[in-house]
Amino acid sequence: MYDSIIPTADTIPVHWLWFQVLLIITFFIHMILMNFLLGGSLLTVWDILTGKLETRASGSIPTLVALTVNFGIPPLLFIQVLYGHLFYSSSVMLAVPWILVIPILILAYYGAYLFVRKSGSAPLFSKVALVFTSLSLLFVAFMLVNNNTLAIRPERWGIYLNNPGGWNLNLGEPTLLPRYLHFVVAALGIGALGRAIAYRYSKMDAGEKEGQIRRNLKLFGWITIIQLAVGTWFFLTMPETVWRTFMGGSLGATALMVAGWLLALLILHSTFTGRFAPAMILGGLEVLVMVIVRDLARSAYLKEIFHPSQLENVNQQSPLYVFLLVFVVGLFALYYMIRLMFNAKTSRS
Amino acid sequence: MNYPVWYLPQLGGGLLIAVIAILHVVISHLAVGGGLFLVVTERQAVKTKNSALLEYVKKHTWFFLLLTMVFGGISGVGIWFIISLVNPAATSSLIHNFVFGWAIEWVFFIAEIVSLLIYHYRFGKMDSRSHMILGWLYFIFAWLSLFIINGILGFMLTPGKWIETGNFWNGFFNPSFLPSLIFRTSISLIFAGVFGLVTGAWLKDKVMRRSVFRLCAGWIYIPLVILVLTGIYYTQVISAESFENLFHFNRESSPFITLIIVSSILLFGLGLFTLVRMSQPLQKTGAILLVVICFGWMAGFEYMREIARKPFVIYGYMYSTGIKSSQMESINSEGFLAQAKWTRIKEVSEENLPEAGAEIFRLQCMICHTVDGYNDVRSKTGQLTERGLEAWLTGMGKVNSYMPPFAGTDIEKRAVAAYIYRVLQGKSTTSPKVQEAISFPLEIPPFNPDTSEYVLLAWNDLGMHCLSDNDKYFCFLPPANTLNAQLFRRGPLPELVNSGVTMEYAVEEGFQHPEKHSLFWKYDQEIFGVDLPEGTGLAGKGVNGTMDAKGNLYEAKFIPVMPYMDNWTFNPYPQFTITARDGSTGEVLAMTKVIAPTSTELGCRNCHEGGWRWNDVAGLADETAINILKVHDRYNGTTLLQDAEDGKPGLCQSCHADPALNAAGKPGVLNFSSAMHGFHANYLSGMDQDACNMCHPSNPDGSTMCFRGRHSEIGVGCTECHGTIEDHALGLLANQADIKEAARLSRGLEPVYAFTKEEIKPRVPWVMEPDCQSCHTNFNISEDGFSGTAFNLWVPGLEALYRSRTDNHGVMCMACHGSTHAIYGARNRYGLQRDNQQPLQYQGLAGTIGTHDNCMVCHTIDMSASGHHRNMLNRDPLPVLVE
């Protein structure tokens, strides 16, 4: 149907499922980190605005930026392998705001460091820096959501003709706002969970620690209620062919969607009852389930158009094996380094 | 064509990639070298128990982290973003081939980040040994990430065996992998030293500052030797074509080569200040300055690497346009727009030429060119006509091999030419004005077959002599028409009269003062090094005079007749009256008329914008001449335009040897014919005879129509004897294979009248010419069972040239058969029989002298044997030209 505009895809070196699985796993990790980062920043901003600033969890914001960006790279790599012919096209259409993600992200990152470093010496400047960083991250998130949405909607690619200079924002996409809000609200929720985790492993005194953990878990709970509403709104703005997939159209997809709902209810229970460990596990599971649901939704959108199984496999496995080997070595190196950090004597001598 | 194009008419995507990439690459090299710098300096500090130095390392770590992890890291992603936007086809190709390379690199990234974060945050809070282990781990992982990206980057320039095998490892460990890796490692260490100065300059303690500066100096200068050596090694592994384009041919590289040389001198020259005592403000300034120079240095180097890779984005595999070399054939036959995905126009027609051209330009050209900004097309195309632009696109990528070939059909080419000419240049094409064909009346001189004692035959030696006619800017053909004559005393055995005769020649009215219509005499000193009297030619002859006896004929060399009549009519066929007088008595023995064909209808203006110089109908306009010289200067690094504007125009043959002008030229420079045909053949390919008509005054719709003889009449065209311009050029260039430009010019040419290039004989111009006997093996009218062309079957020597040959008795071939290109009966635009006056005078038939077995013209009796050459008699009547 869209043969005249969907570019021809290139070949892949190994079976597409490798990339599919790696995409899910790495995107999941990226989402967790991103939620901690974005949610954590926004919640901290909220605390600033309501006069309740706590610096304990927020000292890690710059490190979170580093890790979130780093874990954004593998999913970006793998979607280009599987969906590159779609993704590059949508990127070009949104070229100007898309490329602005880079300088804005750099400034956001520096803003995070300014927030931490100047919190003592220039508190107002430090707070403004965090606000700036949060707004920047909101923009980055918006563009990522936007681009990934446009990529799977070739029927909207006519916007290119409106402005081939890349000054497009795809605001006419009906799912854009609810989808974006769904991600931001998720970030707030998991961000609150993240703060609870940070408190749990901090060196605060037990009473205050417990209070903070409960507070953040409750926050996670309330946000989950809002998320249920936003999620439903988002669900209903999707084309019928897509939401029908999750309403009996596909058994697996429906089961996962139901699981997602159930997990949300369980989260409500554990957060409002202050159960930290279940909340943490359920939160993680919920993100994983939603990541897979997102992927299934993408497939549903592209049903008549494209599926990664259609990519031609040229069967060159040795680079994959080398990667897996390097990955294992890398894991050992990380383990070793972190262990070194904990076990090393705490002074120079 | 596969992907939508990000339309950036002013900025251009290439510039954006350059800005992001150069910023990233400087910082990322620092990230590698700086890692080693940190841990080695820490080790030194710990060993010497130097706490001030350790404090410096700690400060520098923080600076380093802020710069490399934040800016360096995100800008790396920035490169990824921008290349996907500007050249998605190439990016997709790289991603799909090297995904696991990047996945491996990512593992190194995460290890780098974790190690650096711990190294920084636990500085002073860990034992030295553990801390330094982390420092070493950081450096190792940083260098390994360089190792990976270096492989992919090198692949783009020198894919090596990957082109055949498609194998990841062949592509990764490619020919430039090793030199590039060592080169970049050296840069990393040097940059580490430079950036180390920045933190060092801000130290409060003077002694510490000096000591740090000395330390950094070591890092800056010690790797320099390796840098230079591997740099040289690097230039040796790129393809010969890349090397040639980068360092000699592609003018785009000049400013960047200058940049890297100047930056190197500044960096390593100014860097010496690190060893000199100076105040802190100066040290701070110096440090910052060196950092800025690093960016300049990197800009120079990376641009050079990019330029070396042109016209490809993946060398030998995918052009910068995103089109694969393997796709070219199908695109050229089916059409670019037919295959392109993101186009509003699918088919090109005469009606939508500029619009279709705009689409093609956007999809194919804008990857490198803007309309008005960096590397803009508007300023590059002002010197060509619309037809010239079409020709330029035909030749694109052949001579200027740093550009890709045009991908599309002929009409698509014309569409782009129309877009550039009519829309971007805002011009419109008008047909060149043509001189109205005037049938000048002829007065055939008298001849009585019963009583006339002599037959006087005369001819021009070439059938056409052209003039370049813009001596203000250059000259390659002066006014120099040569007439020959032979005088026969009639009788059963006619006698060739060689002596005792004064052979006079005189031009007709209206052509008496060529000096009024030409700048030749104004510039003869500069161009030819002689100061000629006005109206006198290079051999001392005027338009009227006496011919010289020379062997078996009479010759008047280099008569400076011009095709410009005093009444402003263009007439390329001025008529001369030849009078043979008795040398002692002055009595007129014979008289005849001959045409000295001479034209200034040079076709340069068909492509080089300008027009006609003389009366809007002929000659080379100043604008055309300027545009020609501009191209020459740009491609060859000459200053011909400036020289001409300083009043010193040159003779092309002062550099380009030419047997026609007896010019030796300069060593190492192609001869004139090789250069002209060799160069232009690339732009006028696939045109058969139309290519000849583009430049030579043989255009059937032009003012001259110089190819006008018997062969033209029966449809034997230029190419049947000379080959197409491609064949013509290949022969000439084959003879100059020792000159490196010959390879550049012949590479893009395909033979037409030969199966392979090797079949084409190396050819000397003006000497190795078509041999009439290739077809007329036995002197019959039509081929003696020979079918094919006379191309590549050249005369065995100078004496066998048609204009030099005689029959068995010393009668010049041309005397009876007429001039080259105007074999009797020729058809002339300025009077049908203008060329045939001698046949009409002597036998009343416009054909070969003696046609129809009429030997009596000279012999006064019938002859029964073919005396002059075989097969003269008793055959079907030869064709003649009848009014």
Side-chain angles (χ1 to χ4, degrees), chain B residues 299-479:
Chain B
F301 166 63
E302 295 292 348
Y303 255 107
M304 282 172 67
R305 184 187 49 75
E306 290 283 308
I307 288 170
R309 200 186 58 215
K310 291 183 190 223
F312 295 100
V313 65
I314 298 172
Y315 206 86
Y317 175 71
M318 183 184 280
Y319 292 108
S320 302
T321 48
I323 299 173
K324 296 182 190 153
S325 355
S326 56
Q327 293 175 283
M328 288 299 293
E329 207 180 311
S330 85
I331 292 175
N332 289 337
S333 62
E334 288 169 39
F336 175 78
L337 290 177
Q339 290 197 12
K341 290 204 186 240
W342 283 87
T343 171
R344 276 169 279 210
I345 298 177
K346 276 293 185 187
E347 254 188 66
V348 191
S349 67
E350 295 299 327
E351 288 72 44
N352 73 354
L353 274 184
E355 292 78 27
E359 284 290 282
I360 300 169
F361 179 79
R362 194 171 53 83
L363 292 168
Q364 205 179 133
C365 313
M366 290 196 77
I367 183 74
C368 295
H369 291 288
T370 61
V371 171
D372 279 315
Y374 178 78
N375 206 23
D376 68 310
V377 152
R378 214 198 289 268
S379 68
K380 288 186 194 317
T381 52
Q383 77 274 28
L384 293 173
T385 62
E386 190 172 330
R387 182 62 187 83
L389 287 166
E390 190 195 329
W392 198 91
L393 290 168
T394 305
M396 192 168 90
K398 294 183 196 170
V399 177
N400 57 342
S401 54
Y402 49 83
M403 284 195 70
F406 177 78
T409 56
D410 285 343
I411 194 171
E412 288 180 321
K413 215 182 287 174
R414 289 202 290 114
V416 177
Y419 167 67
I420 294 174
Y421 194 75
R422 301 179 206 174
V423 178
L424 294 188
Q425 299 289 341
K427 300 193 237 184
S428 54
T429 302
T430 48
S431 304
K433 195 164 150 214
V434 173
Q435 167 68 52
E436 186 198 335
I438 301 169
S439 194
F440 290 103
L442 297 173
E443 255 184 62
I444 309 289
F447 175 75
N448 191 324
D450 299 316
T451 60
S452 291
E453 209 183 329
Y454 292 91
V455 165
L456 174 59
L457 299 173
W459 61 91
N460 161 270
D461 65 341
L462 293 175
M464 175 49 62
H465 180 78
C466 304
L467 318 175
S468 45
D469 196 34
N470 191 316
D471 303 276
K472 184 175 171 198
Y473 285 94
F474 55 79
C475 177
F476 57 86
L477 287 172

Side-chain angles (χ1 to χ4, degrees), chain A residues 51-127:
Chain A
K52 278 207 300 289
L53 175 65
E54 292 140 22
T55 55
R56 200 161 307 268
S58 48
S60 54
I61 289 179
T63 304
L64 275 173
V65 175
L67 294 172
T68 305
V69 169
N70 186 271
F71 273 93
I73 290 169
L76 189 61
L77 180 65
F78 298 129
I79 54 158
Q80 286 181 45
V81 173
L82 294 174
Y83 300 99
H85 54 303
L86 300 166
F87 186 75
Y88 296 133
S89 305
S90 57
S91 303
V92 168
M93 291 173 217
L94 306 171
V96 174
W98 179 244
I99 195 65
L100 284 176
V101 162
I102 298 298
I104 286 172
L105 191 52
I106 291 174
L107 291 172
Y109 202 161
Y110 281 125
Y113 273 114
L114 281 170
F115 164 67
V116 170
R117 282 278 162 147
K118 299 288 178 191
S119 60
S121 55
L124 181 62
F125 182 55
S126 146
K127 288 168 192 172

Side-chain angles (χ1 to χ4, degrees), chain B residues 735-812:
Chain B
N735 195 41
Q736 306 218 269
D738 54 312
I739 297 177
K740 74 170 190 267
E741 278 74 19
R744 180 178 284 275
L745 295 182
S746 57
R747 185 186 37 228
L749 300 175
E750 287 304 318
V752 176
Y753 280 71
F755 286 111
T756 63
K757 287 184 188 178
E758 291 69 37
E759 261 176 58
I760 301 180
K761 292 182 192 140
R763 190 179 150 256
V764 178
W766 296 101
V767 171
M768 293 166 70
E769 294 290 347
D771 185 346
C772 315
Q773 283 190 276
S774 301
C775 298
H776 302 279
T777 325
N778 287 310
F779 295 92
N780 277 318
I781 299 164
S782 36
E783 308 92 78
D784 295 304
F786 173 82
S787 64
T789 78
F791 170 71
N792 217 27
L793 303 170
W794 312 126
V795 293
L798 270 172
E799 64 293 334
L801 286 170
Y802 175 58
R803 62 185 160 95
S804 313
R805 277 176 86 152
T806 67
D807 66 358
N808 304 331
H809 305 287
V811 180
M812 301 292 292

Side-chain angles (χ1 to χ4, degrees), chain A residues 3-4 10 81 160 165 316 318, chain B residues 5-6 92 96 166 169 341 362:
Chain A
D3 268 353
S4 65
D10 280 319
V81 173
Y160 171 70
Q316 257 198 65
S318 58
Chain B
V5 169
W6 184 12
S92 179
H96 286 84
W169 304 108
K341 290 204 186 240
R362 194 171 53 83

